């Protein structure tokens, strides 16, 4: 299989049968690489997973995205393959400007375009002959948890949404962790980012920040946890920004001025399941989003789990509960 998007991103060449994921391939699932375009014309590359015994029936489907700065060969692919084992058609996609997906410049995120990426995944799933387009849900992991909620609020085709170890990227970029950034600090950051635009314009391309997850000593535990996933064989993937590169310096700009959970109440009456680790530094994102959301909603706290445990620890991630949630709500 070969996919080429030279005008938009890296050239991709993959032979049929090659397995480039960080998790083992399931014998219960058929897999193929696919591509489709979002509303902005950006080509997205994704992995489609189908239960081997799906026969001719139309199945419920789930699109999976995240974590922020990861690729589909990592957590989102693991979630997608595992949910396919439970009888769903699933799709793990690389967001615009990252991984194997198109878009220039590289290594940039957008509260608008990345929300659209979820809807484009729903577009694609709804055209598949194996899928019942009235039974489509989404899963957002880490920073894509907030994107999933934003997508579900605006896209009424999405019938149910699960977030796992969720971040609200617009909140953390504009207010810092635990909302500790002052107005003076925010203003200073925006002044620096605004000046960086001149530098990027003079250079003709955006400057990248320092490499992610490089430990120098003295970092908080959650940063050590990130490095333990992204920088070790446990989770490293060469295409992942968090493993091998960084975002553009000006990446926070649009997030700092566009809160993505403004319309979270409008997801109702469609259900939301928030999943978070008891010991995760990010737990407050799910707790406050849960409080802001309208019913039906559920907050599931996984005992003893930290933020990164919900990326790949299959004995910790409550896949059975997630499966039950989608089975009940994608009838």
């Amino acid at each position: 299989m070969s996919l080429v998007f030279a005008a938009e991103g890296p050239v991709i060449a993959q032979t049929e049968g090659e397995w480039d994921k960080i998790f083992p391939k399931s014998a219960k699932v058929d897999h193929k690489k696919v591509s489709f375009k979002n509303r902005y014309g950006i080509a997205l590359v994704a992995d489609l997973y189908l239960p081997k015994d799906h026969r001719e029936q139309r199945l419920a489907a789930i699109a999976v995205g995240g974590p922020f700065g990861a690729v589909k060969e990592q957590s989102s692919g693991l979630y997608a393959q595992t949910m396919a084992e439970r009888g769903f058609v699933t799709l793990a996609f690389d967001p615009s400007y990252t991984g194997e997906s198109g878009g220039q410049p590289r290594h940039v995120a957008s509260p608008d375009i990345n929300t659209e990426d979820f809807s484009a995944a729903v577009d694609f799933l709804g055209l598949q002959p194996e899928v019942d387009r009235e039974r489509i849900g989404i899963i957002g992991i880490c920073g894509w948890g907030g994107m999933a909620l934003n997508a579900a609020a605006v896209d009424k085709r999405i019938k149910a949404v699960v977030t796992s170890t969720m971040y609200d990227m617009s909140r953390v970029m504009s207010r810092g962790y635990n909302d500790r950034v002052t107005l003076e600090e925010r203003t200073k950051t925006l002044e620096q980012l605004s000046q960086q635009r001149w530098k990027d314009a003079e250079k003709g391309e955006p400057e990248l920040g320092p490499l992610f997850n490089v430990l120098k000593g003295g970092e908080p535990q959650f940063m050590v946890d990130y490095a333990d996933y992204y920088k070790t064989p446990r989770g490293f993937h060469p295409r992942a920004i968090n493993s091998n590169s960084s975002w553009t310096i000006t990446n926070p700009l649009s997030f700092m001025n566009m809160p993505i959970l403004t319309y979270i109440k409008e997801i109702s009456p469609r259900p939301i399941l928030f999943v978070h680790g008891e010991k995760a530094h990010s737990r407050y994102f799910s707790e406050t989003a849960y409080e802001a959301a309208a019913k039906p909603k559920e907050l599931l706290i996984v005992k003893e789990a930290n933020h990164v445990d919900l990326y790949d620890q299959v004995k910790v991630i409550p896949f059975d509960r997630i499966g039950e949630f989608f089975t009940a709500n994608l009838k």
Side-chain angles (χ1 to χ4, degrees), residues 83-201:
M83 298 311 296
E85 289 178 329
R86 285 159 168 75
F88 300 92
V89 177
T90 62
L91 185 77
F93 61 89
D94 280 337
S96 297
Y97 310 109
T98 67
E100 293 184 306
S101 289
Q104 290 286 353
R106 308 303 293 166
H107 297 189
V108 67
S110 162
D112 179 19
I113 295 174
N114 294 142
T115 295
E116 158 62 22
D117 289 342
F118 261 118
S119 287
V122 173
D123 292 344
F124 176 84
L125 285 171
L127 298 180
Q128 303 313 300
E130 303 89 353
V131 172
D132 180 349
R133 65 168 57 176
E134 299 303 321
R135 300 163 60 207
I136 299 177
I138 59 175
I139 299 174
I141 307 164
C142 186
W144 253 255
M147 305 290 191
L149 295 171
N150 197 29
V154 73
D155 191 335
K156 305 304 182 183
R157 301 172 302 171
I158 297 168
K159 304 303 183 185
V161 56
V162 170
T163 67
S164 181
T165 199
M166 189 201 91
Y167 261 58
D168 173 352
M169 296 309 302
S170 58
R171 180 179 178 183
V172 73
M173 288 190 189
S174 60
R175 303 182 195 174
Y177 284 107
N178 298 298
D179 304 330
R180 291 177 179 169
V181 168
T182 65
L183 176 60
E184 181 181 8
E185 291 169 332
R186 171 183 162 85
T187 300
K188 182 178 179 181
T189 297
L190 287 171
E191 288 174 347
Q192 292 171 341
L193 294 176
S194 299
Q195 290 299 316
Q196 181 66 39
R197 294 187 64 121
W198 286 122
K199 298 178 183 178
D200 292 349

Side-chain angles (χ1 to χ4, degrees), residues 239-314:
R239 286 193 293 268
I241 291 172
N242 290 342
S243 288
N244 214 28
S245 189
S246 61
W247 295 99
T248 64
I249 292 176
T250 56
N251 192 54
L253 274 170
S254 56
F255 286 93
M256 292 181 72
N257 209 36
M258 298 180 187
I260 58 178
L261 299 190
T262 301
Y263 297 102
I264 189 172
K265 288 185 182 296
E266 294 186 14
I267 297 174
S268 177
R270 293 161 295 150
I272 310 170
L273 172 61
F274 299 89
V275 179
H276 225 107
E278 179 185 22
K279 296 186 176 180
H281 70 284
S282 52
R283 176 175 166 178
Y284 72 97
F285 287 119
S286 284
E287 291 175 333
T288 54
Y290 172 80
E291 290 299 324
K295 296 179 180 179
K297 58 184 178 179
E298 179 183 351
L299 175 61
L300 174 59
I301 301 299
V302 181
K303 290 184 178 181
E304 299 298 318
N306 65 29
H307 181 87
V308 176
D309 285 338
L310 297 184
Y311 283 7
D312 68 335
Q313 299 301 296
V314 294

